Amino acid sequence: QVTLKESGPALVKPTQTLTLTCTFSGFSLSTPAMRVSWIRQPPGKALEWLARIDWDDDKFYNTSLKTRLTISKDTSKNQVVLTMTNMDPVDTATYYCARVSGVEFDYWGQGALVTVSS
Amino acid sequence: QSALTQPRSVSGSPGQSVTVSCTGTSSDVGGYNYVSWYQQYPGKAPKLMIYDVTKRPSGVPDRFSGSKSGNTASLTISGLQAEDEADYHCCSYAGNYAWVFGGGTKLIVL
């Protein structure tokens, strides 16, 4: 059974760095073709793809946010970490991690709401 | 990448069919057969319903079907049921390891 769960701070201040952790089970990121992405959804707005990390440590970022994002993995802990620097109130959103199967997101975490406010 | 265009809402009565459209460009929807659809209940995580334009994951009822023509993809739900009332999001691969989503469509079952 594949499960993913996001964790991290619910509130961050403007200009701070956000660190989110995705802890998953039911698959291994050391297995070829396994991939995990981060996706966010501002309140009442569209989903937005942020980043992806592959089993071979290849990393891909949304070009609009690339300078602020870093994705990494700890295979031994079954975790993927996303950091986003220089947080702004417009970054307030529910952040999801999802497993990537082929080109689609087949399993999603429950999401973590992050509010950016002073 | 600009978000794909979806209607804000669609509605139908139980037993009817409804179609949700998703319009992009030749750089995303029109350029790849990699459109997926996600169902999302309020406060819940999205669930994959259709991938590769027309394919259904195991466990998804065959009432859900997908298609594509040019730069527009469509999700059709036949035999509408009350439990189908949810938000539906389309997503397309956009090349260069990037994905773009639609704004979401609220399906109202009358």
Side-chain angles (χ1 to χ4, degrees):
Chain A
Q1 180 189 5
V2 173
T3 65
L4 304 97
K5 185 174 184 179
E6 306 85 353
S7 59
L11 179 67
V12 297
K13 290 180 167 46
T15 76
Q16 285 186 337
T17 294
L18 170 68
T19 299
L20 291 170
T21 300
C22 173
T23 303
F24 56 87
S25 63
F27 68 98
S28 172
L29 254 184
S30 60
T31 302
M34 286 296 126
R35 308 173 174 96
V36 171
S37 270
W38 284 94
I39 297 154
R40 70 178 178 179
Q41 185 175 31
K45 295 189 177 181
L47 293 160
E48 180 180 32
W49 176 78
L50 299 177
R52 186 186 104 182
I53 190 165
D54 294 356
W55 80 100
D56 58 1
D57 212 36
D58 273 349
K59 301 165 187 176
F60 307 95
Y61 297 99
N62 182 314
T63 54
S64 300
L65 297 165
K66 183 173 185 176
T67 60
R68 299 174 54 205
L69 296 173
T70 302
I71 192 170
S72 62
K73 63 182 173 69
D74 186 331
T75 304
S76 65
K77 293 183 178 179
N78 279 351
Q79 291 182 333
V80 171
V81 175
L82 181 76
T83 63
M84 179 179 290
T85 61
N86 195 25
M87 293 293 284
D88 183 272
V90 300
D91 296 313
T92 293
T94 297
Y95 287 76
Y96 295 98
C97 61
R99 191 180 78 163
V100 183
S101 173
V103 193
E104 66 278 0
F105 310 102
D106 64 345
Y107 290 93
W108 297 59
Q110 64 190 23
L113 176 61
V114 178
T115 300
V116 184
S117 174
S118 55
Chain B
Q1 246 85 26
S2 299
L4 306 175
T5 301
Q6 296 182 236
R8 297 275 293 190
S9 67
V10 297
S11 61
S13 299
Q16 289 186 331
S17 292
V18 295
T19 296
V20 181
S21 62
C22 170
T23 301
T25 69
S26 58
S27 297
D28 37 64
V29 174
Y32 306 92
N33 287 323
Y34 293 135
V35 175
S36 51
W37 289 89
Y38 302 86
Q39 177 190 64
Q40 185 179 32
Y41 293 111
K44 300 297 185 182
K47 175 188 174 184
L48 177 65
M49 303 300 284
I50 295 288
Y51 67 100
D52 292 354
V53 179
T54 62
K55 297 176 182 176
R56 272 189 317 276
S58 174
V60 173
D62 60 6
R63 304 185 294 105
F64 292 83
S65 62
S67 62
K68 190 185 84 167
S69 177
N71 296 336
T72 298
S74 299
L75 172 71
T76 298
I77 308 169
S78 59
L80 204 57
Q81 299 181 3
E83 67 202 49
D84 299 332
E85 185 164 296
D87 292 332
Y88 292 85
H89 307 270
C90 64
C91 176
S92 176
Y93 181 64
N96 293 320
Y97 300 98
W99 283 259
V100 62
F101 285 88
T105 297
K106 182 175 183 59
L107 169 61
I108 300 168
V109 180
L110 302 171

